[in-house]
Amino acid sequence: MQITAVQAAEILKAEDNITILTHFHPDGDTIGSGFALARALRKMGKKANVINNDEMHPKYAYIWKGIKKQRFKEQFVVAVDIATEHLLGDRIYEKYAGRIDLSIDHHPTNSFFAKNTCLEGNSAAAAEIIYYVIKALGVEIDEDMASCIYTGVSTDTGCFKYRNTTARSFYIAGVMKDLGADTETINEVMFETKTRGELELERIILENMEYFYDNKLAIAVITQKMYSDTGTTEDECEYIAGIPRQVAGVYVGVTIKERKNGTFKASVRTKPPIDAGKICAKFGGGGHANAAGCYFDGTLEEFKEKIKAVAGEELK
Amino acid sequence: MQITAVQAAEILKAEDNITILTHFHPDGDTIGSGFALARALRKMGKKANVINNDEMHPKYAYIWKGIKKQRFKEQFVVAVDIATEHLLGDRIYEKYAGRIDLSIDHHPTNSFFAKNTCLEGNSAAAAEIIYYVIKALGVEIDEDMASCIYTGVSTDTGCFKYRNTTARSFYIAGVMKDLGADTETINEVMFETKTRGELELERIILENMEYFYDNKLAIAVITQKMYSDTGTTEDECEYIAGIPRQVAGVYVGVTIKERKNGTFKASVRTKPPIDAGKICAKFGGGGHANAAGCYFDGTLEEFKEKIKAVAGEELK
């Protein structure tokens, strides 16, 4: 059933011994949402744990600062920022699929896998909804919760730059700042810190970036060797897909990444009016109007040529 | 005299034929503030022009879209985002020094050069104060004004990342978004667009960046030849000074820039607890705790060695 944030809070008020699940490869929104909620429930005297399929990156350590796992017989299960049960990750899926009581989510593609679903598809982040749930729980938001919620909102909006950012994202960020969120340190860690390996990978990519069609198309390539040479991983370097489109005059920015099995994945970023989803659909992929992805089984050169041709059609 | 935003609005209500001055090398905040105010005054039926000492970068063109210079006999002069009269730039200084009626500013260092000064030193941007002045003028903020004000707030806070960002900065950004500011395009143009020359300069800098003291100090060098080879200018590439500090583990990031006269300037960026101002003070320079600058007359190698020694002391 689709329920509101206030209804979700009413349900949570009646429950105890609560497990909160995050999505696999946990990011700032799912972790920030999960621990903000766990902190609020604990402040109410309830028992609550956050459980992740995969290890959380240590840069988020302030989010679970002071939180120790509690022992209890689980009575209620919440999923935060999770569109479908498969996104729980294999280990968690195996244990929890089919028995999730409450889903709090912002993905319009949510499959309504839970008993009750609090879905706000216009929210830039699940943490925005968590803010309203905690308010409805009647819990005073402390500095730690504020930092958790701010992390969700700022990371899911790319520091308020992505097109999902709404006036409400700004308002909630302002409220969290007023309530003591350490936005300065969070922004520095999330948006202003790169490893030497990431910078070295950037350098290599910049060195090899190719331009076509009067510089309207830019193609960057990342091979497995580049990852190993620089000690980076594809996960860490997700942001690099944004670099080709950054160039003034470029309308289609493509980053082709070699996968571990030798096939290729392309991340396509466009500026209006060019539709990234339409380009990727030609390869069986998909996504949004300005950001999409697709896979390819042939050689790098074949993939490049085909993408060039498809992008060229769109750029006409 | 120090006055409030409401008092500034009262004064402006009684005036007409108003000239608004921006600071030299005009940035997003001074231009955004100036044109937001001019648009509001014109909406009230008054005549108002914005005058700049230097050409405005075309990326800001949406700010003055539809605004044509008006002919009138100037009766009142306003300076926005200007701490001292010398920041007007030579040409404007010559004409207007000593005869500015109203200064609307957020620099704590404002020298109170105007007849009346509306100074809010805690504002991240002059545009935040302009928002309150326009509200007090009773003018309904339209999409164009909202885009002007959003530009001032977002550029002066580095898209809400700099330490001057307050809860109010977020709130005002949210209000501007609600009122129709095109935050998506503005963010893309201001924060997600680089020229090929800038990217090439970044690549060269990454290639030559040096690390010392267990990677706690990073030094980048930009020579005049690098600017000319990449077709960039020092002004455009100001943001590059932030790159060395971005590296995980670096506490002191130094960018040494060769000046046209062959001397050198260093931009020093630090992470707490290292004080950038203290490092630069050793060279007769100064600035803030995390961002400061200084000059040096000797050779590049001498400068590097001395900065290394001074930074080494602080890193102990």
Side-chain angles (χ1 to χ4, degrees):
Chain A
M1 208 172 84
Q2 162 78 301
I3 60 170
T4 66
V6 172
Q7 288 170 320
E10 288 310 314
I11 292 172
L12 286 166
K13 276 183 194 168
E15 298 291 340
D16 202 347
N17 298 340
I18 299 166
T19 293
I20 302 166
L21 306 175
T22 62
H23 64 67
F24 81 129
H25 288 178
D27 64 4
D29 193 26
T30 197
I31 302 175
S33 295
F35 281 94
L37 183 58
R39 287 173 183 278
L41 294 168
R42 288 187 179 191
K43 210 168 173 181
M44 295 170 80
K46 296 179 188 298
K47 286 188 171 163
N49 284 331
V50 177
I51 295 183
N52 317 289
N53 192 76
D54 308 300
E55 218 180 315
M56 299 181 288
H57 195 287
K59 72 179 175 183
Y60 297 114
Y62 60 91
I63 288 181
W64 58 83
K65 195 186 69 191
I67 295 281
K68 286 194 181 115
K69 193 142 280 183
Q70 293 179 324
R71 291 178 66 92
F72 56 75
K73 197 174 169 318
E74 181 178 284
Q75 291 173 335
F76 192 80
V77 182
V78 186
V80 289
D81 194 34
I82 296 171
T84 72
E85 285 184 311
H86 279 291
L87 297 173
L88 289 165
D90 290 347
R91 202 166 51 80
I92 302 288
Y93 177 86
E94 209 162 288
K95 182 160 178 202
Y96 288 100
R99 56 188 212 75
I100 293 168
D101 299 293
L102 174 62
S103 157
I104 302 177
D105 188 28
H106 71 123
H107 296 96
T109 51
N110 187 292
S111 65
F112 286 85
F113 56 85
K115 221 172 284 171
N116 285 293
T117 300
C118 173
L119 172 66
E120 293 191 15
N122 290 322
S123 284
E128 292 187 12
I129 314 166
I130 293 290
Y131 164 64
Y132 289 104
V133 171
I134 294 177
K135 267 183 59 159
L137 285 172
V139 175
E140 205 181 313
I141 294 178
D142 60 24
E143 291 177 16
D144 291 326
M145 289 179 220
S147 284
C148 289
I149 293 171
Y150 179 81
T151 300
V153 177
S154 62
T155 56
D156 254 29
T157 58
C159 207
F160 311 96
K161 279 189 283 208
Y162 300 159
R163 289 179 181 265
N164 62 351
T165 311
T166 68
R168 200 175 81 170
S169 315
F170 285 115
Y171 291 135
I172 293 174
V175 174
M176 293 308 112
K177 176 124 186 115
D178 257 342
L179 292 174
D182 184 3
T183 64
E184 294 161 357
T185 305
I186 296 170
N187 290 336
E188 190 174 296
V189 172
M190 299 301 152
F191 309 110
E192 295 289 321
T193 302
K194 292 172 183 172
T195 64
R196 279 183 69 170
E198 286 167 350
L199 281 178
E200 177 59 12
L201 184 63
E202 272 187 42
R203 188 190 66 72
I204 295 171
I205 285 165
L206 291 176
E207 204 166 64
N208 296 296
M209 196 136 76
E210 291 179 276
Y211 297 88
F212 306 96
Y213 305 121
D214 213 9
N215 301 331
K216 289 193 181 72
L217 167 66
I219 300 183
V221 173
I222 312 179
T223 62
Q224 285 292 325
K225 185 170 182 308
M226 290 182 195
Y227 288 128
S228 58
D229 283 354
T230 57
T232 55
T233 64
E234 181 174 344
D235 271 2
E236 273 168 28
C237 297
E238 190 50 42
Y239 76 94
I240 283 179
I243 293 180
R245 184 185 51 185
Q246 276 188 4
V247 184
V250 166
Y251 282 86
V252 184
V254 178
T255 308
I256 300 179
K257 290 174 274 192
E258 186 187 8
R259 302 174 75 201
K260 282 196 181 124
N261 64 7
T263 65
F264 295 93
K265 180 187 172 181
S267 295
V268 178
R269 303 281 183 275
T270 57
K271 289 178 193 153
I274 309 298
D275 190 330
K278 210 171 148 194
I279 291 172
C280 289
K282 293 270 167 64
F283 297 86
H288 305 281
N290 299 118
C294 59
Y295 294 90
F296 190 75
D297 276 346
T299 69
L300 176 61
E301 283 311 314
E302 280 167 16
F303 197 14
K304 247 198 228 175
E305 283 311 310
K306 287 205 172 161
I307 283 198
K308 255 178 69 180
V310 171
E313 280 302 307
E314 294 300 313
L315 283 167
K316 256 180 197 162
Chain B
M1 208 171 82
Q2 161 79 300
I3 61 170
T4 65
V6 172
Q7 288 171 320
E10 287 311 313
I11 291 172
L12 286 165
K13 275 183 193 169
E15 298 291 340
D16 202 348
N17 298 339
I18 298 165
T19 293
I20 301 167
L21 306 176
T22 62
H23 65 67
F24 80 129
H25 287 180
D27 63 6
D29 191 27
T30 198
I31 302 174
S33 294
F35 280 95
L37 183 59
R39 287 175 183 279
L41 293 168
R42 288 188 179 191
K43 208 166 172 184
M44 296 170 79
K46 297 180 188 297
K47 287 189 169 159
N49 284 331
V50 177
I51 294 183
N52 318 287
N53 191 76
D54 308 300
E55 217 177 316
M56 297 182 289
H57 195 288
K59 72 180 174 184
Y60 297 113
Y62 61 91
I63 287 181
W64 58 84
K65 194 187 71 190
I67 294 281
K68 286 199 181 112
K69 193 141 280 184
Q70 292 180 325
R71 290 179 66 95
F72 56 75
K73 197 175 168 313
E74 182 178 282
Q75 289 171 337
F76 193 80
V77 182
V78 186
V80 290
D81 194 32
I82 295 171
T84 71
E85 285 183 312
H86 279 290
L87 297 173
L88 289 165
D90 290 347
R91 202 166 50 79
I92 302 288
Y93 177 86
E94 209 163 291
K95 183 160 177 200
Y96 287 100
R99 57 188 212 76
I100 294 168
D101 298 293
L102 174 62
S103 158
I104 302 176
D105 188 27
H106 70 124
H107 296 95
T109 51
N110 188 292
S111 64
F112 287 85
F113 56 84
K115 223 172 280 171
N116 285 291
T117 301
C118 173
L119 172 66
E120 292 191 14
N122 290 322
S123 285
E128 292 188 12
I129 313 166
I130 292 290
Y131 164 64
Y132 289 104
V133 171
I134 294 176
K135 266 182 58 159
L137 283 171
V139 175
E140 206 181 314
I141 295 178
D142 60 25
E143 291 177 18
D144 291 326
M145 288 180 223
S147 284
C148 289
I149 292 171
Y150 179 81
T151 300
V153 176
S154 63
T155 56
D156 254 28
T157 58
C159 207
F160 310 96
K161 280 190 282 209
Y162 300 158
R163 288 177 183 267
N164 61 351
T165 311
T166 68
R168 200 174 80 172
S169 314
F170 285 116
Y171 290 135
I172 293 175
V175 175
M176 293 310 111
K177 177 124 186 114
D178 258 342
L179 292 173
D182 184 2
T183 64
E184 294 162 356
T185 306
I186 296 170
N187 290 336
E188 190 173 296
V189 172
M190 299 300 152
F191 308 110
E192 296 288 323
T193 303
K194 292 171 182 172
T195 63
R196 279 184 70 170
E198 286 167 349
L199 281 177
E200 177 60 11
L201 184 62
E202 272 186 43
R203 187 190 67 72
I204 296 171
I205 285 164
L206 290 176
E207 204 165 63
N208 295 297
M209 197 136 76
E210 291 179 274
Y211 296 87
F212 306 96
Y213 306 120
D214 213 10
N215 300 332
K216 291 194 180 70
L217 168 66
I219 299 182
V221 173
I222 312 179
T223 62
Q224 285 292 323
K225 184 169 183 309
M226 291 182 193
Y227 288 128
S228 59
D229 282 355
T230 57
T232 56
T233 64
E234 181 174 345
D235 271 3
E236 273 168 28
C237 298
E238 192 49 42
Y239 75 95
I240 284 179
I243 294 180
R245 183 184 52 184
Q246 275 188 3
V247 184
V250 166
Y251 283 86
V252 183
V254 177
T255 309
I256 299 178
K257 291 175 273 193
E258 185 187 10
R259 304 173 72 202
K260 284 197 179 123
N261 65 7
T263 65
F264 294 94
K265 181 187 172 180
S267 296
V268 178
R269 302 281 184 273
T270 57
K271 289 177 192 154
I274 309 297
D275 188 332
K278 210 172 146 192
I279 292 172
C280 290
K282 292 270 167 67
F283 297 87
H288 305 281
N290 299 117
C294 58
Y295 295 91
F296 190 75
D297 277 347
T299 70
L300 176 60
E301 284 312 314
E302 281 166 17
F303 197 16
K304 248 198 226 173
E305 284 310 313
K306 290 207 171 162
I307 283 197
K308 253 177 69 179
V310 171
E313 280 301 308
E314 294 300 313
L315 284 167
K316 262 184 195 164

